[in-house]
Amino acid sequence: IAMTQSPATLSVSPGERATLSCMAGQSATNNLAWYQQKPGQAPRLLIYGAFIRATGIPVRFSGSGSGPLFTLTINRLQSEDFAVYYCQQYDNWPGTFGQGTKVEIK
Amino acid sequence: QVQLVESGGGVVQPGRSLRLSCAVSGFIFSDHAMHWVRQAPGKGLESVAFISSDGITKSYADSVKGRFTISRDNSKNTVYVQLNSLTAEDTAVYYCARVGSALDYWGQGTLVTVSS
């Protein structure tokens, strides 16, 4: 299943909202995860099951949607949220990642 | 606490082989499937291989099928990936990850550089 993320880059001011999209090439189940990656670090799981926050993830991160279109929303962006975000489908392992969306400071 | 520590990376010539290891602690290893993901320099994440908790079911990305082999030793709390017939396109940081709620824990990665 091919995963397409948009936009490639999103410029947002601190305190504003960021909305990231992920399109599954085939209509997928809700086996959809979102990860955050900062430079030099391993990815971190944010959302699984399309909308369930992982342990310790702040409530400003929320996932929504259903196959084939999914959305990650980050409310009131904080400085530590500027990073690259990846979606991943895991209907079948190994899952497929999108190409990533970079959220940068405007 | 949950820990995953990869090892075995390095510089290798094209066509040669390498075996990566991922030693885990802090959870019951035999209860979880495991996964390898790689990231080429400046690029995105790519799933590489999956292995079920009992080691019976394995699956691979098309880009590595026939060249990479994933395995595990539940007595040693370690998952492996054997990389054969390496090319420059295999140069990447290789991460192991636990399959729980999606990929819920990750190691810090080990760098594989394929170069003559």
Side-chain angles (χ1 to χ4, degrees):
Chain A
I1 300 177
M3 307 299 287
T4 303
Q5 291 185 241
S6 61
T9 304
L10 188 59
S11 299
V12 186
S13 298
E16 293 188 340
R17 173 185 297 172
T19 303
L20 291 65
S21 296
C22 175
M23 178 76 74
Q26 301 173 28
S27 180
T29 67
N30 280 355
N31 290 328
L32 188 286
W34 291 94
Y35 302 87
Q36 176 193 67
Q37 188 180 34
K38 298 179 181 179
Q41 296 185 16
R44 176 176 71 147
L45 176 65
L46 299 176
I47 302 286
Y48 64 94
F51 59 85
I52 304 170
R53 269 188 301 278
T55 303
I57 301 303
V59 297
R60 64 180 182 273
F61 290 92
S62 63
S64 61
S66 60
L69 182 61
F70 300 90
T71 300
L72 175 69
T73 301
I74 313 170
N75 288 306
R76 297 180 298 278
L77 268 157
Q78 300 188 6
S79 57
E80 62 264 32
D81 300 335
F82 293 97
V84 180
Y85 293 82
Y86 295 93
C87 64
Q88 181 206 27
Q89 71 77 22
Y90 51 98
D91 278 354
N92 296 291
W93 293 104
T96 310
F97 291 93
Q99 76 275 28
T101 291
K102 182 180 181 180
V103 177
E104 64 177 23
I105 301 174
K106 186 174 182 180
Chain B
Q1 70 279 23
V2 173
Q3 285 193 312
L4 295 82
V5 180
E6 301 94 338
S7 61
V11 180
V12 61
Q13 293 180 329
R16 302 299 292 267
S17 300
L18 209 57
R19 188 177 82 156
L20 308 182
S21 302
C22 172
V24 315
S25 59
F27 65 97
I28 300 174
F29 182 61
S30 58
D31 282 352
H32 288 269
M34 297 295 293
H35 201 91
W36 286 93
V37 176
R38 69 182 180 182
Q39 186 169 37
K43 303 296 185 183
L45 302 173
E46 181 187 16
S47 288
V48 172
F50 163 90
I51 187 167
S52 60
S53 58
D54 59 8
I56 293 176
T57 301
K58 304 174 185 180
S59 56
Y60 301 90
D62 287 344
S63 58
V64 307
K65 205 171 291 183
R67 298 188 302 121
F68 290 9
T69 302
I70 191 170
S71 62
R72 65 189 295 158
D73 186 336
N74 284 351
S75 69
K76 295 183 178 179
N77 288 356
T78 302
V79 60
Y80 307 94
V81 62
Q82 177 72 35
L83 316 178
N84 294 333
S85 304
L86 286 162
T87 72
E89 287 68 43
D90 296 316
T91 293
V93 174
Y94 285 75
Y95 297 100
C96 67
R98 188 182 85 165
V99 180
S101 304
L103 300 179
D104 54 3
Y105 288 93
W106 296 63
Q108 282 306 301
T110 187
L111 175 63
V112 173
T113 303
V114 183
S115 173
S116 55

